């Protein structure tokens, strides 16, 4: 009897050991003691890649990151499912089918009369498909928008269905899920008529504009600039024109490179551009008001307000449109010897920034962003990225008064020549160029100093935070700041809603290694090294 008892205990221990090994999480705890239940992820298919440029934040990258984070948080891999759709009609049907199937299966009982899925809590993680236009898609796949119904017909591949029907179906399915005890987490976008348990806010247009303006102010050290030697700054705000007004991509810009009144933006572009400019202007307004910043094109001045975003916007259907817009702003042609001074260009996204870089080169501007800190060279930046050298940043002393292009008649001839040379040298210097989206294609030009900075969402951290929230929700609790430091509150459909919000990541040559290469977002080869 003693031997039998020992053998039984041994077998029990082996079984327990095997089971815990299969479900071990990264911190060594047993998954069965952690968050139980299932998570179903519904995301859009990746947006159309424009001109071969590929932003880092794609849905096909986020889903694996979230799946890994969910497993690490204690979910079994078999209990994490994901699906993608190319349009809202298909996505709404997929979610509806999933919800109905879960409700139907939960009504089944075991042989002893117990609920077969009593312990299987469910959280739906949904990134609703917003019908963004081409310009909005240039900022990447995660830009936050609101999904609302309209009467426009959309081609679903199997026939025609109005977006109103799709939104109504999605709203009904998600509300039905919540009524039956499931949890709903909304990623990036919100849906009219759906109150989620948690909202994961990603980049907004206002944030995108603000971070570029902040980094430009910091790099140009505008707080120390004199009004006698102001910095010349241009804001290029691209939009998609409504069909029939500029569908062929022809700009027809007025002399200052701003919007032509005959090229009206789409409703999506208009809303995005207005919010993006609000972010830019919230930072730049004081410097234009004090005279520390000016616009050579005259599109911005001390009297500019938030509603004047149209003054710096332009229809952009292809790269040449952005190049023409910059050329018109500067009043130059390729091969001109006399350069218009330009210290900073907020290009809004990496697609436009790439066009700006090419046009500046054609117009004969020289140097790079690294010249703003003369102690830093391109070779030093490369050594920093490859981990062989730390960069010591130093501010550039800016002269109080700008170099004059002309002198009084009684001035010495040598002084006049030197002054002309100084002015020509200053005016032809490469400006600070900002963008957004962290396109893989622009990494080499960031390393080369042609584009100063880009930015992107903190994808991996957002995935980890979302996974923690799913675990908490499935356990029947509510997320708190004690567990999620990124937790805040925001209005969703007019109601205060628990919200995960991470700061955008600004990337330049100085931190490219830490922010993108070391975490595995890009390789050395992607950076052109």
């Amino acid at each position: 009897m003693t031997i039998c008892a020992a053998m039984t205990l041994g077998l029990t221990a082996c079984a327990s050991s095997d089971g815990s090994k299969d479900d071990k999480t990264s911190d060594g705890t047993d998954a069965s003691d952690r968050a139980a239940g299932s998570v179903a992820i519904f995301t859009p298919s990746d947006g159309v890649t424009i001109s071969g440029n590929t932003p880092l934040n794609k849905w096909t990258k986020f889903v694996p990151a979230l799946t890994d984070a969910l497993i690490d948080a204690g979910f079994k891999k078999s209990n994490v499912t994901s699906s993608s759709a190319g349009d809202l009609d298909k996505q709404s049907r997929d979610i509806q089918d999933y919800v109905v199937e879960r409700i139907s299966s939960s009504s089944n009982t075991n042989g002893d009369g117990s609920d077969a899925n009593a312990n299987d809590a469910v959280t739906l993680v949904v990134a609703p498909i917003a019908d963004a236009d081409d310009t909005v898609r240039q900022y990447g796949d995660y830009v936050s928008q609101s999904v609302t119904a309209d009467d426009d017909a959309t081609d679903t591949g199997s026939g025609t269905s109005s977006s109103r029907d799709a939104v109504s179906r999605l709203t009904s399915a998600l509300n039905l899920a919540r009524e039956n005890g499931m949890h709903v987490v909304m990623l990036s976008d919100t849906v009219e008529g759906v109150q989620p348990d948690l909202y994961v806010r990603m980049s907004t247009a206002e944030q995108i504009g603000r971070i570029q303006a902040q980094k430009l102010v910091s790099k140009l050290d505008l707080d120390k600039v004199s009004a006698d030697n102001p910095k010349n700054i241009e804001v290029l705000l691209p939009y998609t024109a409504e069909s029939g007004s500029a569908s062929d991509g022809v700009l027809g810009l007025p002399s200052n490179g701003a919007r032509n009144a005959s090229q009206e933006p789409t409703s999506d572009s208009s809303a995005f551009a207005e919010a993006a400019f609000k972010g830019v202007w919230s930072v730049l307004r004081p410097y234009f008001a004090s005279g520390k910043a000016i616009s050579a094109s005259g599109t911005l001045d001390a009297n500019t307000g938030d509603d004047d975003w149209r003054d710096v916007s332009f229809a952009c259907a292809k790269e040449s449109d952005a190049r023409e817009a910059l050329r018109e702003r500067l009043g130059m042609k390729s091969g001109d010897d006399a350069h218009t001074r330009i210290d900073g260009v907020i290009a809004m996204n990496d697609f436009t920034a790439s066009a700006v870089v090419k046009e500046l080169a054609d117009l004969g501007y020289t140097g790079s962003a690294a010249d703003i800190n003369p102690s830093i060279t391109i070779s030093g930046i490369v050594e920093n990225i490859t981990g062989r050298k730390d960069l010591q940043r130093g501010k550039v002393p800016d002269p109080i008064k700008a170099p004059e292009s002309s002198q009084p008649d009684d001035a010495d001839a040598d002084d006049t020549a030197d002054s002309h040379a100084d002015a020509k040298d200053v005016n032809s210097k490469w400006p600070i160029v900002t963008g957004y989206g962290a396109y893989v294609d622009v990494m080499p030009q960031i390393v080369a100093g042609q584009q100063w900075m880009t930015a992107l969402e903190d994808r991996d951290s957002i995935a980890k935070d979302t996974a923690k929230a799913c675990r908490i929700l499935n356990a029947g609790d509510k997320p708190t700041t004690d567990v999620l430091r990124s937790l805040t509150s925001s209005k969703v459909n007019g109601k205060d809603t628990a919200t995960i919000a991470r700061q955008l990541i600004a990337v330049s040559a100085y931190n490219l290694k830490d922010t993108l290469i070391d975490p595995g977002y890009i390789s050395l080869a992607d950076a052109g090294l």
Side-chain angles (χ1 to χ4, degrees):
M1 290 177 63
T2 303
I3 294 172
C4 288
M7 292 177 65
T8 301
L9 289 172
L11 289 171
T12 302
C14 289
S16 175
S17 176
D18 290 343
S20 63
K21 181 179 180 181
D22 290 341
D23 292 332
K24 283 289 185 182
T25 58
S26 62
D27 60 3
T29 59
D30 192 334
S32 62
D33 294 332
R34 303 282 295 279
S38 302
V39 173
I41 307 167
F42 299 90
T43 60
S45 302
D46 279 349
V48 178
T49 299
I50 303 171
S51 301
N53 291 317
T54 306
L56 286 179
N57 283 341
K58 307 286 285 181
W59 288 117
T60 52
K61 298 291 187 181
F62 182 81
V63 173
L66 177 56
T67 300
D68 290 343
L70 287 166
I71 294 171
D72 194 53
F75 289 88
K76 293 182 179 180
K77 186 175 182 180
S78 59
N79 287 347
V80 178
T81 60
S82 63
S83 65
S84 62
D87 56 63
L88 189 62
D89 184 72
K90 184 179 185 305
Q91 185 184 57
S92 65
R93 293 180 188 277
D94 290 344
I95 294 174
Q96 178 182 257
D97 291 345
Y98 179 88
V99 171
V100 171
E101 183 179 348
R102 294 295 303 194
I103 294 174
S104 176
S105 64
S106 66
S107 65
N108 297 328
T109 58
N110 295 317
D112 58 2
S114 62
D115 190 341
N117 292 286
N119 297 318
D120 194 8
V122 179
T123 294
L124 278 63
V125 179
V126 182
I129 299 177
D131 190 20
D133 62 30
D134 289 343
T135 303
V136 175
R137 279 195 290 267
Q138 290 173 0
Y139 295 87
D141 289 349
Y142 303 164
V143 177
S144 293
Q145 292 181 282
S146 179
V147 178
T148 57
D150 59 49
D151 294 320
D152 295 336
T154 55
D155 183 7
T156 64
S158 58
T160 300
S161 175
S162 69
S163 60
R164 182 176 296 277
D165 290 341
V167 172
S168 177
R169 186 184 304 110
L170 178 62
T171 301
S172 298
L174 293 178
N175 286 333
L176 180 63
R178 294 198 70 203
E179 290 169 5
N180 283 271
M182 303 180 203
H183 309 286
V184 174
V185 173
M186 305 296 288
L187 288 177
S188 183
D189 300 332
T190 58
V191 178
E192 188 177 26
V194 176
Q195 197 63 38
D197 296 278
L198 180 77
Y199 173 49
V200 181
R201 187 178 67 212
M202 295 190 178
S203 57
T204 66
E206 190 170 342
Q207 286 178 314
I208 290 171
R210 186 184 301 115
I211 193 172
Q212 292 182 62
Q214 289 171 338
K215 295 305 176 182
L216 184 69
V217 166
S218 175
K219 183 64 175 175
L220 294 178
D221 206 7
L222 285 185
D223 289 324
K224 297 181 181 178
V225 166
S226 165
D228 291 327
N229 186 16
K231 297 295 185 181
N232 284 263
I233 297 172
E234 294 293 332
V235 177
L236 295 178
L237 190 57
Y239 69 78
T240 298
E242 287 184 350
S243 178
S245 62
S247 58
D248 58 357
V250 178
L251 271 168
L253 291 171
S255 59
N256 65 356
R259 182 180 70 95
N260 188 311
S262 66
Q263 299 170 321
E264 289 301 318
T266 64
S267 58
D268 281 343
S269 273
S270 178
F272 191 94
E274 182 176 6
F277 183 72
K278 182 179 179 181
V280 169
W281 202 236
S282 68
V283 178
L284 292 186
R285 184 199 298 267
Y287 301 101
F288 276 85
S290 65
K292 292 183 176 184
I294 59 175
S295 167
S297 67
T299 54
L300 297 169
D301 58 37
N303 298 317
T304 297
D306 289 345
D307 295 335
D308 295 322
W309 62 270
R310 292 175 178 82
D311 294 342
V312 294
S313 65
F314 66 99
C316 186
K318 53 185 183 296
E319 183 183 88
S320 59
D321 294 338
R323 296 184 65 167
E324 183 179 349
L326 178 65
R327 190 164 60 249
E328 293 286 349
R329 298 280 185 96
L330 299 177
M332 293 178 60
K333 296 180 180 179
S334 297
D336 282 356
D337 290 332
H339 289 81
T340 300
R341 178 176 174 179
I342 178 71
D343 297 292
V345 179
I346 294 180
M348 295 310 303
N349 58 62
D350 287 353
F351 177 74
T352 306
S354 291
V356 167
V357 166
K358 292 176 183 177
E359 188 60 30
L360 288 171
D362 280 357
L363 293 174
Y365 287 85
T366 59
S368 74
D371 295 335
I372 303 299
N373 297 99
S375 63
I376 299 174
T377 63
I378 295 300
S379 62
I381 290 174
V382 172
E383 289 180 350
N384 170 256
I385 290 175
T386 55
R388 295 195 299 269
K389 178 181 180 180
D390 289 330
L391 292 174
Q392 300 298 320
R393 302 178 62 177
K395 291 292 184 183
V396 180
D398 200 31
I400 297 299
K401 190 174 180 62
E404 300 288 349
S405 59
S406 61
Q407 293 287 335
D409 293 336
D410 58 350
D412 184 85
D414 290 339
D415 291 339
T416 301
D418 289 342
S419 180
H420 277 294
D422 289 343
K424 184 176 181 180
D425 180 60
V426 168
N427 292 342
S428 63
K429 283 185 176 180
W430 195 273
I432 301 303
V433 179
T434 71
Y436 184 86
Y439 285 24
V440 176
D441 305 62
V442 308
M443 295 306 159
Q445 68 189 33
I446 288 180
V447 172
Q450 295 171 313
Q451 180 177 335
W452 166 240
M453 62 80 65
T454 185
L456 73 163
E457 293 91 341
D458 191 351
R459 186 182 71 206
D460 289 348
S461 294
I462 291 173
K464 292 176 182 178
D465 290 346
T466 303
K468 289 180 182 178
C470 289
R471 171 190 163 191
I472 294 169
L473 290 171
N474 272 10
D477 298 323
K478 293 183 178 180
T480 64
T481 53
D482 293 337
V483 180
L484 287 174
R485 294 184 179 180
S486 62
L487 194 68
T488 182
S489 179
S490 66
K491 295 287 185 181
V492 176
N493 295 323
K495 296 183 179 180
D496 291 330
T497 304
T499 302
I500 289 175
R502 285 272 180 175
Q503 294 293 321
L504 299 178
I505 299 176
V507 180
S508 68
Y510 297 121
N511 67 351
L512 184 65
K513 179 177 182 294
D514 292 337
T515 56
L516 298 185
I517 295 176
D518 288 349
Y521 279 80
I522 66 172
S523 65
L524 287 171
D526 291 330
L529 300 173

